[in-house]
Amino acid sequence: MRPFNLESPKQLQQILFEKLQLPVLRKTPSGTPSRPKTCWRNSRRRHLLPRHILEYRGLAKLRSTYTEKLPEQIDPDTGRVHTSYHQAVAATGRLSSMDPNLQNIPIRSPEGRRIRQAFIAPPGYRLLAADYSQIELRIMAHLSGDEGLLRAFAEERDIHQATAAEVFGVAADAVSHDQRRSAKAINFGLIYGMSAFGLARQLGVSRSAAQTYVDLYFTRYPGVRRYMEATRAQARNDGYVETVFGRRLYLPEIRSRNRQLQQYAERSAINAPMQGTAADIIKRAMIAVDQWCQRDDIPARLIMQVHDELVLEVREDFLSKAAAEVGRLMSEGG
DNA sequence: GGTTCAAGCGCG
DNA sequence: AAAGCGCGCTTGAACC
């Protein structure tokens, strides 16, 4: 018998599953019992130990990846951390940031935000971040031409609230927190090509309830359903999908007899035009913003891109002018 | 000393 | 059986 390493995360988790009596919902090919991740993560509501372990993992990630590593990556010449952006990595046309990755600096947790606070501008300068609001859903509205969705955006509505009002048949100001949360999950799910099954798992409701939400959504936004169906059909016919600006993603597996590969290709076909068009738009904005920055006497520099967000370094006295101009360039393209 | 893989985490 | 897209980094295990 092999030595039993109690510090092996896998073994620890395995023992924990038994002690906590989490159900075995499937087995791996080798016969090892296995529980879905969500089951394990949900168990933290009932059990103290999983809660502590998940908290520990999050903190360990922050320490090992950011707190300990980033200071080592400071360039001695400039005193800054410099990333490399790669243009031909992500299939959808996004940039990817490497060595170090500055597109995944923490922000979602309070502890993570403390790490982000370490990123500062030089004396006399400030960081200016400008991001697109709901850009992929706006693109979905554009591509689908759905009247209801286009109207909601034209009226600058809170889109998740507006969706909830439509799907649950209530007035916008009567939408509950849970209804908005569900609508948000539906909206994200649509962008990702998610099924009713996936939505059910995400929301913790029954499959039939999730199916009801999806059906209701498509009744309210029929253009979106038409668009989704047309995109799948087009991908299957042509073997590729493309963005508004013509960037293509080839999907040979859309005709695979392997159902898993075929469905994955379908989800990619749904997602790529939206994610890819967003990538095209911000790249054009980057060119416009940088050209503006390079003009004489403009005390602002484009220093980072995070998919739907541009970050600039701006001289303090120029901040409001820069914010206005960057906003204009990002929405109108110059 | 190195590589490769999976798991698990960070972000949009 | 799997059933939500796109990424990168760290860790530990297994192996050379």
Side-chain angles (χ1 to χ4, degrees), chain A residues 79-93:
Chain A
R80 297 166 159 246
V81 280
H82 302 274
T83 186
S84 299
Y85 286 106
H86 296 259
Q87 300 202 68
V89 173
T92 53

Side-chain angles (χ1 to χ4, degrees), chain A residues 182 197 199-210 213:
Chain A
S182 299
F197 180 96
L199 183 64
R201 213 181 42 162
Q202 168 77 24
L203 292 177
V205 301
S206 74
R207 220 196 134 166
S208 59
Y213 294 166

Side-chain angles (χ1 to χ4, degrees), chain A residues 53-83:
Chain A
I53 289 176
L54 291 167
E55 183 189 359
Y56 170 81
R57 283 185 194 159
L59 294 173
K61 180 70 178 180
L62 295 182
R63 186 179 60 182
S64 65
T65 306
Y66 306 101
T67 309
E68 290 180 347
K69 288 297 189 319
L70 282 172
E72 297 173 6
Q73 316 212 32
I74 295 173
D75 185 309
D77 294 334
T78 63
R80 297 166 159 246
V81 280
H82 302 274
T83 186

Side-chain angles (χ1 to χ4, degrees), chain A residues 41-243:
Chain A
R41 296 196 72 86
N42 288 341
S43 73
R44 89 188 120 160
R45 296 182 197 289
R46 303 191 305 276
H47 301 289
L48 207 54
L49 193 49
R51 196 182 308 162
H52 285 308
I53 289 176
L54 291 167
E55 183 189 359
Y56 170 81
R57 283 185 194 159
L59 294 173
K61 180 70 178 180
L62 295 182
R63 186 179 60 182
S64 65
T65 306
Y66 306 101
T67 309
E68 290 180 347
K69 288 297 189 319
L70 282 172
E72 297 173 6
Q73 316 212 32
I74 295 173
D75 185 309
D77 294 334
T78 63
R80 297 166 159 246
V81 280
H82 302 274
T83 186
S84 299
Y85 286 106
H86 296 259
Q87 300 202 68
V89 173
T92 53
R94 276 188 175 183
L95 302 184
S96 91
S97 162
M98 283 166 46
D99 197 29
N101 182 355
L102 295 186
Q103 288 179 325
N104 72 344
I105 300 304
I107 192 171
R108 293 177 187 170
S109 72
E111 297 79 14
R113 279 194 283 278
R114 294 181 61 194
I115 289 171
R116 192 167 278 229
Q117 284 172 7
F119 289 80
I120 54 169
Y125 285 75
R126 294 276 291 277
L127 295 181
L128 171 67
D131 66 297
Y132 289 106
S133 162
Q134 307 294 351
I135 187 166
E136 292 180 2
L137 279 175
R138 288 180 201 266
I139 291 164
M140 184 169 88
H142 171 80
L143 287 172
S144 69
D146 183 274
E147 283 179 31
L149 205 53
L150 284 169
R151 193 183 325 118
F153 277 121
E155 293 170 359
E156 290 294 327
R157 303 270 300 279
D158 171 336
I159 196 62
H160 301 313
Q161 187 193 57
T163 303
E166 290 289 349
V167 169
F168 299 108
V170 298
D173 53 15
V175 169
S176 73
H177 182 269
D178 249 31
Q179 287 173 328
R180 188 180 184 282
R181 199 180 117 263
S182 299
K184 187 175 177 179
I186 294 171
N187 281 331
F188 271 93
L190 287 164
I191 292 171
Y192 296 154
M194 187 168 56
S195 64
F197 180 96
L199 183 64
R201 213 181 42 162
Q202 168 77 24
L203 292 177
V205 301
S206 74
R207 220 196 134 166
S208 59
Q211 188 62 58
T212 304
Y213 294 166
V214 173
D215 291 342
L216 267 168
Y217 180 94
F218 284 137
T219 306
R220 300 298 181 208
Y221 303 105
V224 177
R225 163 177 269 163
R226 276 197 300 275
Y227 168 69
M228 297 294 172
E229 286 167 358
T231 302
R232 285 194 192 88
Q234 183 260 321
R236 187 174 167 79
N237 278 332
D238 303 341
Y240 66 85
V241 290
E242 57 186 19
T243 67

